[in-house]
Amino acid sequence: MSELIELKDKTLIDMLLEEQRQVQTPMGRFAEAAEEAAAEQASRFGDLIPLSAPRAGEQYAFQVDLDRCSGCKGCVTACHSLNGLDENETWRDIGMLVGEGERGPALQTVTTACHHCVEPACMIGCPVDAYEKDEVSGIVLHLDDQCIGCQYCVLKCPYDVPKFSPKRGIVRKCDMCHSRLSSGEAPACVQACPHEAIKIVTVEKEEAVARSQDPDSFLPDSPEPGYTKPTTRYVSKKGLPKNMVAGDSHVLRVQHTHWPLVGLLALSQLGVGGFVSAALDLGSLQGNLGFASFLGAWLVFHLGLVCSALHLGQPLKAWRVFLGFRRSWLSREAVILGACSGVSCVAIGAVAAGWFGYLDEFPWLESLQIGAVFATALLGLVGVFTSVYIYVDTRRSFWKLPYSLSKFYGSVALGACAFYMLAAGGASLAMASAFVGLVVLKLVVEAKSFGDNRSSQGLMESVLNPLWKARLSIAALSCVAAMAATRYEGVVLGSIVLLLVCLGELAERALYFKAVNAPKMPGGLNG
């Protein structure tokens, strides 16, 4: 009776809509199947991600079961697809270790991504604070909208994790698919691995720091873990032979030249040398050649600064570079060289005023001139020191402190000699001899830096040998020109010496970048 009353209350439209809802359309069946698959997937991957957020003193980390990794690159493909990476951009790579154990030759494939370190070198080195370590999850996140594309994090990270995107002008990296993880979904690489070799675990930060003090706690032939305290765990019941090396350890790779940085370092340091020369011989600034020499140093220095802007992927955001001053050597370099530039403009104005004869009319200009020239030279020398530590702080043997310090301040000394000859309109025998001695000493240091590293030595003896020979030839010509300047006065030979010094230092600085040994995780199957 109640059913009849209910039917009576319904209109024809209501009954048709109810009938339609009960019909299984293809789209309806697809939706039901998708819901069932999602539920099954959640159940399947529940053991591969933590069920709760990290507690205080803990963070998320990758755990890789080496016994299960087959090197199939399923994780690489999934990461690339889900994150919409560029054609040649990868956030997860597959590498290979080879060696020999008790049972004969051994081979181990390895999947690697960002290790979300306890002390991330990329974050510490960033001059614009474009990285942050999430307080809850411990994931190291890159803030794309803050990045200026300086690529210093690429040099700082020993694991080759941050990747520069030329199309976007910024660096990008693995973020452990944190948006999926926060929603209870497994990261792309975890879901895609057919052998479930990758999982997300919760680790104690203090334990990760303690483990990093033991080099054997990480993978063989990998960067020293004590630098950044990586949290990734590589586990294996079978164990790995201690003598294993990266499958591509024998491959010699010419590194990126970074031509704008070559120009910045070589030219700015030669310009600083000119500032030092002027500070040591203030009397020469009143003469035509002295003023021209100081103006030339100012131009060379600022040409180097212009080169630095060409290196940035997002140059319009460069004004933010001061944000990382407390911990980033790159930020310190930018701020101090920027201050040097400002003071040098005051100095060039004061010197120009003196050259035009205004010192008698405005006596205070002499004090301003002296103070500005000395301040310019001092700020320049401090700026060169920050440049040294930008590269020393990456902990690459080819860039270690004795070599970088000698090369960078050697450029300053050669610049000082060259600009002094230009200001003097020639060179005394003592000055020319000092110049030749500096050139020879610097070449010895450069040759020694190659010999201290197998990779750098191999590159210098093979693909970089023509550039090295060109460097030697230019250095020899500069010495000949300097000795000739002792007999023939005038600006021509002084200008030739300066030009040859510039070319020689540019060649040396190109080798400085090309021949560096770049640390990375074990490779051999990347691509």
Side-chain angles (χ1 to χ4, degrees):
M1 185 68 175
S2 61
E3 293 180 1
L4 290 175
I5 294 173
E6 188 177 341
L7 286 173
K8 184 178 179 181
D9 293 339
K10 289 184 177 180
T11 65
L12 177 61
I13 295 298
D14 292 332
M15 290 187 288
L16 289 175
L17 288 175
E18 185 176 347
E19 181 182 355
Q20 184 65 30
R21 281 195 294 267
Q22 296 173 356
V23 174
Q24 271 285 38
T25 62
M27 184 58 69
R29 289 194 294 271
F30 179 81
E32 285 187 9
E35 290 177 0
E36 293 175 1
E40 180 183 351
Q41 188 182 64
S43 173
R44 176 187 172 192
F45 292 110
D47 295 336
L48 298 180
I49 60 174
L51 299 178
S52 59
R55 295 173 297 181
E58 295 180 339
Q59 73 164 77
Y60 289 139
F62 285 114
Q63 179 169 296
V64 178
D65 189 338
L66 296 174
D67 298 336
R68 294 187 174 211
C69 180
S70 65
C72 69
K73 296 190 180 180
C75 54
V76 177
T77 303
C79 177
H80 189 281
S81 177
L82 181 69
N83 291 292
L85 305 187
D86 296 339
E87 182 178 357
N88 297 317
E89 184 181 15
T90 58
W91 291 357
R92 179 168 283 279
D93 297 311
I94 300 296
M96 180 171 58
L97 289 166
V98 295
E100 187 168 355
E102 296 178 355
R103 293 179 290 180
L107 183 149
Q108 177 65 59
T109 54
V110 180
T111 175
T112 66
C114 178
H115 300 301
H116 300 283
C117 306
V118 177
E119 298 177 6
C122 56
M123 183 179 75
I124 295 171
C126 181
V128 293
D129 290 345
Y131 285 89
E132 67 177 13
K133 188 170 177 65
D134 187 75
E135 294 182 358
V136 177
S137 66
I139 297 173
V140 179
L141 302 172
H142 181 261
L143 310 178
D144 292 358
D145 60 332
Q146 306 296 310
C147 183
I148 62 174
C150 70
Q151 305 171 57
Y152 186 45
C153 56
V154 176
L155 299 180
K156 282 280 288 178
C157 177
Y159 310 110
D160 191 30
V161 168
K163 303 291 170 50
F164 180 67
S165 172
K167 183 168 69 174
R168 296 167 180 80
I170 60 172
V171 167
R172 304 197 296 174
K173 63 175 282 294
C174 159
D175 60 3
M176 204 183 277
C177 295
H178 72 284
S179 58
R180 294 170 60 87
L181 203 54
S182 61
S183 302
E185 297 184 63
C189 56
V190 174
Q191 284 195 4
C193 182
H195 309 297
E196 298 185 354
I198 310 172
K199 65 187 301 185
I200 307 298
V201 297
T202 301
V203 299
E204 292 187 3
K205 296 179 183 179
E206 290 186 0
E207 179 189 349
V209 172
R211 285 170 56 88
S212 68
Q213 304 309 310
D214 178 15
D216 294 334
S217 65
F218 209 48
L219 285 176
D221 202 20
S222 298
E224 195 271 314
Y227 177 31
T228 64
K229 283 78 176 175
T231 61
T232 301
R233 289 179 172 177
Y234 289 98
V235 298
S236 173
K237 293 180 180 179
K238 299 183 297 184
L240 298 177
K242 300 294 184 182
N243 63 357
M244 297 193 89
V245 296
D248 60 347
S249 60
H250 64 287
V251 178
L252 298 176
R253 292 186 176 86
V254 177
Q255 298 303 310
H256 196 288
T257 310
H258 297 291
W259 284 111
L261 294 183
V262 169
L264 165 66
L265 294 176
L267 297 179
S268 67
Q269 288 159 18
L270 290 173
V272 169
F275 297 152
V276 171
S277 173
L280 295 177
D281 188 17
L282 287 171
S284 67
L285 294 177
Q286 309 308 318
N288 293 340
L289 291 181
F291 176 68
S293 175
F294 189 71
L295 180 61
W298 186 88
L299 291 172
V300 169
F301 177 80
H302 282 85
L303 181 58
L305 296 190
V306 170
C307 289
S308 68
L310 300 177
H311 179 68
L312 301 178
Q314 299 283 339
L316 295 181
K317 296 180 181 179
W319 62 270
R320 303 178 62 254
V321 75
F322 69 91
L323 294 175
F325 189 83
R326 289 185 301 172
R327 60 186 181 187
S328 172
W329 283 104
L330 180 58
S331 182
R332 294 164 185 163
E333 178 199 50
V335 170
I336 294 173
L337 290 184
C340 179
S341 171
V343 176
S344 72
C345 291
V346 175
I348 202 74
V351 172
W355 186 70
F356 281 108
Y358 287 104
L359 288 182
D360 293 335
E361 186 175 350
F362 303 102
W364 54 269
L365 274 176
E366 184 174 3
S367 299
L368 177 63
Q369 182 185 103
I370 295 172
V373 170
F374 270 101
T376 299
L378 181 60
L379 283 170
L381 291 172
V382 175
V384 173
F385 182 80
T386 61
S387 297
V388 169
Y389 262 89
I390 284 175
Y391 301 96
V392 170
D393 200 37
T394 64
R395 301 197 181 187
R396 303 183 181 192
S397 60
F398 190 66
W399 289 347
K400 62 186 180 182
L401 182 60
Y403 297 141
S404 293
L405 198 69
S406 301
K407 291 177 182 180
F408 287 18
Y409 279 104
S411 296
V412 172
L414 290 176
C417 289
F419 280 108
Y420 181 86
M421 292 182 198
L422 188 60
S428 65
L429 182 60
M431 172 56 67
S433 300
F435 177 84
V436 172
L438 281 171
V439 170
V440 173
L441 182 61
K442 194 167 186 294
L443 289 175
V444 170
V445 171
E446 292 169 26
K448 181 70 167 58
S449 66
F450 282 112
D452 264 15
N453 182 271
R454 183 192 64 84
S455 174
S456 301
Q457 178 73 21
L459 288 170
M460 192 268 280
E461 293 175 350
S462 55
V463 292
L464 296 182
N465 191 252
L467 182 57
W468 172 243
K469 288 181 178 178
R471 161 71 176 132
L472 294 176
S473 300
I474 295 171
L477 288 175
S478 68
C479 291
V480 172
M483 296 305 296
T486 62
R487 299 190 60 183
Y488 304 99
E489 294 184 356
V491 299
V492 176
L493 282 173
S495 300
I496 291 175
V497 170
L498 178 59
L499 177 61
L500 290 172
V501 167
C502 287
L503 292 176
E505 294 309 290
L506 288 170
E508 181 271 308
R509 217 44 52 89
L511 288 167
Y512 185 79
F513 285 103
K514 284 177 175 289
V516 66
N517 54 309
K520 66 181 185 63
M521 294 297 288
L525 298 178
N526 295 336

